[in-house]
Amino acid sequence: MDHRPDHRAQIRDFLATRRAKLTPEQVGLPTSGRRRVPGLRREEVAVLAGVSTEWYTRLEKGHIGGVSEEVLDAVAQALRLDQDERTYLFDLAHAARPARRAPSRRTDVQVPLRVQWLLDSMTMSAAFVRNGRQDIVACNALARALLAPVFDSPTTTQHGRANIARYAFLDPGSQQFFVDWDEAAVVSAALLRAQAGREPHDRALRDLVGELSTLSSGFRSQWAVHAVRIRHDGSKRLWHPQIGDLELTYQSLDLPMSNRAVYGLTIYTAEPGSTSEERLKLLASQAATQPARRSGSMP
């Protein structure tokens, strides 16, 4: 099986889907006659970016390796890409450039003990560390209790590690746990899409995407949208089998590791004085009486 990433297909589909989202009215262009395709035409994007139609057509077909950052920035502005989408486009361009040597992979690394100490010190917040594939690689006791449906899922026991994307798309119980499941599915697929742009040579990531694409029609639909998410924060509603409904806020931060690996630290908290805070406190007290359970070490 060929495990090489298809850069041209990713670039083609990404640019085409972004172009389809815009209308001439949105970008100040005149409209005339019936349009055979949704969104902007290639020649209209070319005008907005200040390049020839032939040049932009070649770019949208995936020939991006030799394109300058200035031109990429002009295309990003023409397509009104947000910051995450712009970063993804530049990642694709970087990956498509010929390398003088084999690309260096961001290898999976062991989470340092000091990071586990940091997690364990957060007794009233659920905190966990995930890699770019959304494997949970370390957590504190409250996160283990809060995310019990994820950790206890067959998708975890079958693979030996909790993976949020795998749980969301392959475990039917996720649609009860994530109250706003549709939003969770969008974010999960978008995070994987961004990671695929950063790490196109990660075979484990491609295997995960292949698995989800094969087994989940919901993931296939989301993956085809080419949505990109890098920054990850906001509010989330969960239904926990022990304590019921929770409305939490969460924040994700970059957590640099050795060997160029960057993981994400995610922290869930509840609004002070809220019912969710009382329920989270109850879960924390229950978790404090349980034997320590970890998510496992990196291979």
Side-chain angles (χ1 to χ4, degrees):
M1 179 181 295
D2 187 358
H3 290 279
R4 293 172 300 176
D6 188 349
H7 300 300
R8 290 188 180 182
Q10 291 182 53
I11 296 163
R12 179 192 65 225
D13 294 343
F14 176 67
L15 292 177
T17 55
R18 300 312 97 176
R19 177 165 56 86
K21 291 174 62 177
L22 293 175
T23 64
E25 293 86 354
Q26 287 177 299
V27 297
L29 291 177
T31 58
S32 59
R34 296 183 59 186
R35 304 177 73 85
R36 294 182 298 173
V37 296
L40 297 179
R41 300 186 179 103
R42 287 175 174 171
E43 56 266 30
E44 291 170 331
V45 178
V47 168
L48 292 170
V51 299
S52 68
T53 300
E54 293 77 14
W55 189 95
Y56 179 76
T57 299
R58 179 174 170 80
L59 174 64
E60 196 171 287
K61 288 182 178 180
H63 300 280
I64 199 172
V67 179
S68 69
E69 291 191 358
E70 290 77 13
V71 172
L72 282 178
D73 190 58
V75 170
Q77 292 185 48
L79 293 173
R80 297 197 172 183
L81 302 186
D82 62 27
Q83 186 58 47
D84 287 357
E85 291 171 329
R86 183 183 180 278
T87 299
Y88 178 68
L89 178 63
F90 275 70
D91 284 340
L92 291 178
H94 179 76
R97 290 170 184 156
R100 296 180 180 178
R101 59 183 180 179
S104 58
R105 292 180 52 194
R106 295 187 179 188
T107 56
D108 292 332
V109 296
Q110 178 78 32
V111 174
L113 189 57
R114 65 180 182 275
V115 172
Q116 188 63 58
W117 295 340
L118 171 67
L119 298 175
D120 291 338
S121 72
M122 302 181 194
T123 56
M124 284 309 303
S125 295
F128 64 91
V129 177
R130 61 174 176 82
N131 61 22
R133 296 188 296 274
Q134 297 180 52
D135 295 322
I136 299 178
V137 298
C139 67
N140 65 6
L142 183 51
R144 178 60 179 80
L146 177 66
L147 302 177
V150 182
F151 283 102
D152 299 337
S153 167
T155 63
T156 297
T157 55
Q158 290 168 7
H159 293 270
R161 169 162 297 162
N163 179 280
I164 297 173
R166 189 178 278 121
Y167 171 74
F169 287 104
L170 301 185
D171 190 327
S174 68
Q175 299 192 33
Q176 184 179 34
F177 180 62
F178 294 121
V179 176
D180 303 307
W181 183 87
D182 289 341
E183 180 182 352
V186 168
V187 170
S188 185
L191 288 170
L192 287 182
R193 173 66 73 179
Q195 180 68 7
R198 287 191 297 266
E199 296 297 333
H201 303 283
D202 185 342
R203 177 173 292 189
L205 174 62
R206 295 199 299 275
D207 288 345
L208 174 62
V209 170
E211 175 192 353
L212 297 178
S213 298
T214 300
L215 300 178
S216 170
S217 59
F219 180 80
R220 288 195 298 272
S221 298
Q222 291 299 331
W223 195 247
V225 174
H226 284 258
V228 178
R229 181 74 68 90
I230 296 175
R231 291 158 188 82
H232 190 38
D233 55 68
S235 61
K236 185 166 292 187
R237 295 191 298 160
L238 304 175
W239 182 86
H240 194 279
Q242 288 181 277
I243 56 175
D245 292 316
L246 289 165
E247 185 166 350
L248 305 174
T249 62
Y250 67 96
Q251 181 72 47
S252 292
L253 307 169
D254 284 346
L255 190 63
M257 298 285 180
S258 59
N259 298 327
R260 296 179 59 249
V262 178
Y263 290 165
L265 169 63
T266 301
I267 304 171
Y268 282 87
T269 57
E271 181 181 352
S274 65
T275 300
S276 292
E277 185 191 38
E278 291 302 315
R279 291 176 177 174
L280 201 61
K281 286 181 179 178
L282 175 60
L283 194 61
S285 65
Q286 294 173 354
T289 64
Q290 299 298 320
R293 301 171 70 181
R294 302 300 183 207
S295 58
S297 300
M298 299 300 295

